[in-house]
Amino acid sequence: MSAIDEGAHLRAADRPNPVGFLDGRDLLERDLLRLWQGRDGNLLDRISHYALVPAGKMLRPLLVLESARCVGGRPEGLARPALALEYLHVSTLVHDDIIDEDDMRRGRPSVQAAFGLASAIVAGDGLLLETFAALTDAPPEDVPAEAVVALVNTTAEAGLSVCRGQLMETELVGDLDCGVERYLAMAGLKTGALFEASCRAGAILGGAPREWIDALGGFGSRLGVAFQIRDDLLAFDGPLALIGKPQESDLHNHRPTLPILLAYQRASAADRERLERAFHEDQPVEKSYAVVSEVLEATGARAAAGEVAAGLIRQAKDRLAALPAGESVLALAEIADYAARRRF
Amino acid sequence: MSAIDEGAHLRAADRPNPVGFLDGRDLLERDLLRLWQGRDGNLLDRISHYALVPAGKMLRPLLVLESARCVGGRPEGLARPALALEYLHVSTLVHDDIIDEDDMRRGRPSVQAAFGLASAIVAGDGLLLETFAALTDAPPEDVPAEAVVALVNTTAEAGLSVCRGQLMETELVGDLDCGVERYLAMAGLKTGALFEASCRAGAILGGAPREWIDALGGFGSRLGVAFQIRDDLLAFDGPLALIGKPQESDLHNHRPTLPILLAYQRASAADRERLERAFHEDQPVEKSYAVVSEVLEATGARAAAGEVAAGLIRQAKDRLAALPAGESVLALAEIADYAARRRF
């Protein structure tokens, strides 16, 4: 799977009407702009600014805010720690683009294409460090120091999971037979862990008891994996020309994604061979794409992968039952529904 | 200046009798081995382990421990947060080696030479995250949560300074005329900031009042810059064959270091031209090295750079006067003396 790139989808010409929670996103983007305004005095801040703005969907900070609200936390002063989770996410995008040699990100040159390899490595490090600076610089006054310590630990451990997932992904490269279970474990680390941490972070900031923190964590981890599967599916959601460069990356880099793994499991011997050739041989990506799309359709693997995502979303929403009913629980459910069906 | 590589010096054949504080280092290495023992279950931990062990001099965690002790802190439970500062340092080494294309580190293949570029990027990120996990996972019971929050913030801000210093260094590449002041500002960010943070971290963990934290911070920042200058000088401390590959890196990468900048300032027009040729033209590094060594000697720039370092060490030790006298203040002074004269 390629690193999830939300901004490009947001600006897609065929974008449907924005769903409700995107209003919250716009407020967060305003906070982001305010916090980074004038921070252009040195090269590190300029590159970080470039990487962060224009922002993507900012799902992770949105999850922080809605999770805090739904356990009764006051939203004042939460934008800064919420955005810290976005910094961590963007840090992984900056470094992923080096690893994948992706020159485009969110419709413009990626950091390493714009500033070079050395600066991109350092800027990714800077955004990781910015995460922990933002979590501890001026925590909201009504959040006890013990909660801030827990917040830092949760975030650092989630970041470590992302790293483990990234390395596990490199171990799966080229392996069409690695199996659904290993893919799900990898997606759980690479994408699920940060969604989970975002929800846990919000719950911690909101002063939630352990039970609610865990319920929101369980919601987030399943949501994250479902989100990743939808991202895998989006790569085959239309003509290649429309989908654009970033989505070619998985195929180009021989990374097995869930739809491809399911297709491989279900395919006839002849189709398995075609998949293997498309996946392993250095043929033009257009040709591989056409073959893979065809086998996905023939095997029903697209629908099957969609069903796995939908199942995870149902499980995620079940976790919300442990929480007090209210507007924010509805907002979280709405984000989950969006993740299950999103086309952008 | 190349990233400071302490392990290689430690194993140099002509190593003098170890100075006293290295006993503390050996205890820290034992803690490091204990903490990482058995952590080999996944690729991330294996690579991190490879990067951390065998350890270098571990000056940064030593500074944490001695700073904590000298303000009256109890040493129990401090090894883990102290080693967190080492994780941050080693993270920068792993990423530096990618940027500098250095294939050797501490006498064996660097992480990117041993595991590849992608894994080295991710492992460096992992060590950064490990820093903040270690600071917050199980802080000593007698350290209040407010102090842990301050510790995380101090460490994150120092990491950001290191990143700023690294980018500033890339801006100075090839610039023999950038001046001593800009070099010192860069070294203050790239090396001084983490030495400063280590001392501050120890003082915070030891429960010191603001005045002592600042005194120790002032000690650490000056010590760090002096340490960096000695590192620059070590590159010209003997025949090239003895000094080995890492020290070639500055010359190879056209980075101005303090001795070279001072030589350029003091050189005759003819020698300036020779320095420029040695610095800019892609000639064999042996030839550049011989020319630069000669001009350093002729201009007295080596002695002058040594004098700058010695002056910083004097300033650093002056800062210790603000602290209560005791064994740990003597240990810090000993580390400072060692930094001023070290030949390994």
Side-chain angles (χ1 to χ4, degrees):
Chain A
M1 64 199 188
S2 66
I4 294 175
D5 183 1
E6 294 147 9
H9 302 306
L10 270 182
R11 277 192 307 283
D14 54 348
R15 171 185 168 180
N17 287 333
V19 282
F21 68 82
L22 287 179
D23 293 346
R25 178 211 167 272
D26 292 344
L27 289 175
L28 266 171
E29 187 167 42
R30 227 172 296 164
D31 286 321
L32 180 69
L33 293 174
R34 184 176 48 76
L35 284 164
W36 283 82
Q37 196 171 31
R39 282 190 61 175
D40 284 317
N42 61 70
L43 186 53
L44 184 70
D45 285 353
R46 283 198 296 279
I47 303 178
S48 303
H49 203 156
Y50 177 91
L52 291 168
V53 179
K57 288 197 195 65
M58 301 216 278
L59 281 177
R60 294 157 194 81
L62 268 174
L63 289 171
V64 177
L65 291 187
E66 295 299 352
S67 298
R69 276 202 198 105
C70 88
V71 299
R74 289 172 48 206
E76 284 80 31
L78 293 192
R80 188 133 203 259
L83 287 167
L85 278 290
E86 181 74 3
Y87 302 159
L88 203 166
H89 171 56
V90 174
S91 161
T92 68
L93 298 183
V94 171
H95 283 178
D96 275 350
D97 284 344
I98 301 172
I99 292 170
D100 297 344
E101 298 176 22
D102 270 336
D103 285 343
M104 295 297 284
R105 163 74 59 189
R106 294 181 181 169
R108 57 195 190 134
S110 61
V111 171
Q112 111 267 9
F115 297 94
L117 172 83
S119 298
I121 290 179
V122 175
D125 293 346
L127 284 165
L128 260 193
L129 290 156
E130 200 71 58
T131 302
F132 297 99
L135 288 176
T136 53
D137 199 11
E141 274 176 28
D142 55 345
V143 175
E146 287 76 9
V148 178
V149 173
L151 191 63
V152 169
N153 195 255
T154 297
T155 307
E157 290 292 346
L160 283 165
S161 292
V162 174
C163 292
R164 292 195 178 99
Q166 288 171 314
L167 290 181
M168 190 170 171
E169 190 175 43
T170 65
E171 293 178 301
L172 300 186
V173 162
D175 186 359
L176 279 171
D177 209 18
C178 68
V180 170
E181 210 167 302
R182 288 188 70 196
Y183 167 89
L184 290 175
M186 184 273 290
L189 290 167
K190 187 171 161 160
T191 311
L194 202 50
F195 276 73
E196 175 177 350
S198 301
C199 294
R200 284 187 183 274
I204 292 168
L205 284 165
R210 165 63 49 194
E211 187 200 336
W212 292 357
I213 297 174
D214 288 342
L216 280 162
F219 166 81
S221 63
R222 285 160 182 84
L223 171 65
V225 176
F227 191 86
Q228 181 61 57
I229 294 171
R230 276 300 313 160
D231 203 68
D232 295 349
L233 282 165
L234 283 172
F236 299 101
D237 232 20
L240 184 59
L242 227 169
I243 292 162
K245 184 150 187 319
Q247 278 77 9
E248 291 173 23
S249 219
D250 292 332
L251 218 50
H252 179 70
N253 291 310
H254 305 171
R255 288 198 197 108
T257 62
L258 185 63
I260 295 177
L261 290 175
L262 289 172
Y264 188 77
Q265 282 185 350
R266 295 156 165 243
S268 64
D271 273 350
R272 277 195 170 199
E273 212 170 294
R274 290 177 69 211
L275 271 182
E276 272 164 12
R277 272 204 308 278
F279 206 64
H280 290 295
E281 281 168 28
D282 277 334
Q283 55 191 21
V285 72
E286 291 78 12
K287 201 177 157 194
S288 308
Y289 183 83
V291 170
V292 173
S293 297
E294 209 182 294
V295 183
L296 286 184
E297 214 50 54
T299 54
R302 278 188 51 153
E307 200 29 64
V308 175
L312 285 163
I313 292 296
R314 279 193 299 274
Q315 289 177 25
K317 286 165 74 179
D318 284 349
R319 293 294 183 291
L320 298 178
L323 296 159
E327 209 181 297
S328 281
V329 169
L330 293 177
L332 290 173
E334 193 196 355
I335 293 177
D337 286 333
Y338 153 74
R341 61 160 200 268
R342 73 193 177 99
R343 300 198 163 271
F344 63 99
Chain B
M1 65 199 186
S2 65
I4 295 174
D5 184 359
E6 293 148 10
H9 302 307
L10 270 181
R11 278 192 306 285
D14 54 348
R15 170 182 170 186
N17 287 331
V19 282
F21 68 83
L22 287 179
D23 294 345
R25 177 209 167 272
D26 293 344
L27 289 174
L28 266 171
E29 186 167 41
R30 229 171 293 165
D31 286 319
L32 181 69
L33 292 174
R34 185 177 47 76
L35 285 165
W36 283 81
Q37 196 171 29
R39 281 190 62 175
D40 284 317
N42 61 70
L43 186 54
L44 184 70
D45 286 353
R46 283 199 294 280
I47 303 178
S48 303
H49 203 155
Y50 177 91
L52 290 169
V53 179
K57 288 196 198 66
M58 302 217 277
L59 280 177
R60 293 157 195 81
L62 268 173
L63 289 171
V64 178
L65 292 187
E66 296 298 354
S67 297
R69 275 201 199 108
C70 89
V71 298
R74 290 172 46 207
E76 285 80 29
L78 293 192
R80 188 133 202 260
L83 287 167
L85 277 290
E86 181 73 3
Y87 302 159
L88 204 165
H89 171 55
V90 174
S91 162
T92 68
L93 298 183
V94 171
H95 283 178
D96 275 350
D97 284 344
I98 300 172
I99 293 170
D100 296 345
E101 299 175 22
D102 270 335
D103 285 342
M104 295 297 284
R105 164 73 60 188
R106 294 179 181 170
R108 57 191 191 138
S110 61
V111 171
Q112 110 266 9
F115 298 93
L117 172 83
S119 298
I121 291 178
V122 175
D125 293 346
L127 283 165
L128 260 192
L129 291 156
E130 200 70 59
T131 302
F132 297 99
L135 288 176
T136 52
D137 198 12
E141 275 176 30
D142 56 345
V143 175
E146 287 77 10
V148 179
V149 173
L151 192 63
V152 169
N153 196 255
T154 297
T155 307
E157 290 293 346
L160 283 165
S161 292
V162 174
C163 292
R164 292 197 177 100
Q166 287 171 315
L167 291 181
M168 190 171 171
E169 190 176 42
T170 65
E171 294 177 303
L172 300 187
V173 162
D175 187 359
L176 279 171
D177 210 18
C178 68
V180 170
E181 210 166 305
R182 288 189 71 196
Y183 166 91
L184 289 176
M186 184 272 291
L189 290 167
K190 186 170 163 159
T191 310
L194 202 48
F195 276 72
E196 175 176 350
S198 301
C199 295
R200 284 187 184 274
I204 292 168
L205 284 164
R210 165 65 46 195
E211 188 200 335
W212 292 357
I213 297 173
D214 288 341
L216 280 162
F219 166 81
S221 63
R222 285 161 183 83
L223 171 64
V225 177
F227 190 86
Q228 182 61 57
I229 295 171
R230 274 305 309 164
D231 203 67
D232 296 348
L233 282 166
L234 282 171
F236 299 101
D237 231 19
L240 184 58
L242 226 169
I243 292 163
K245 181 150 188 317
Q247 279 78 7
E248 290 172 27
S249 219
D250 291 333
L251 218 50
H252 178 69
N253 290 311
H254 305 171
R255 288 199 198 109
T257 63
L258 185 63
I260 295 177
L261 290 175
L262 289 171
Y264 188 78
Q265 283 186 348
R266 294 156 166 242
S268 64
D271 273 349
R272 277 194 170 200
E273 213 170 294
R274 290 176 71 209
L275 271 182
E276 273 163 12
R277 271 204 309 276
F279 206 62
H280 290 295
E281 281 169 30
D282 278 332
Q283 57 192 20
V285 71
E286 290 77 12
K287 200 178 156 192
S288 306
Y289 184 84
V291 170
V292 173
S293 297
E294 209 182 295
V295 182
L296 285 184
E297 215 48 58
T299 53
R302 279 188 49 153
E307 199 31 63
V308 175
L312 285 163
I313 292 296
R314 280 193 298 274
Q315 289 178 24
K317 287 165 74 179
D318 284 349
R319 292 297 184 286
L320 298 178
L323 296 158
E327 211 180 297
S328 280
V329 169
L330 292 177
L332 290 172
E334 195 197 354
I335 293 176
D337 286 334
Y338 153 73
R341 61 158 200 269
R342 75 193 174 100
R343 301 200 161 270
F344 63 99

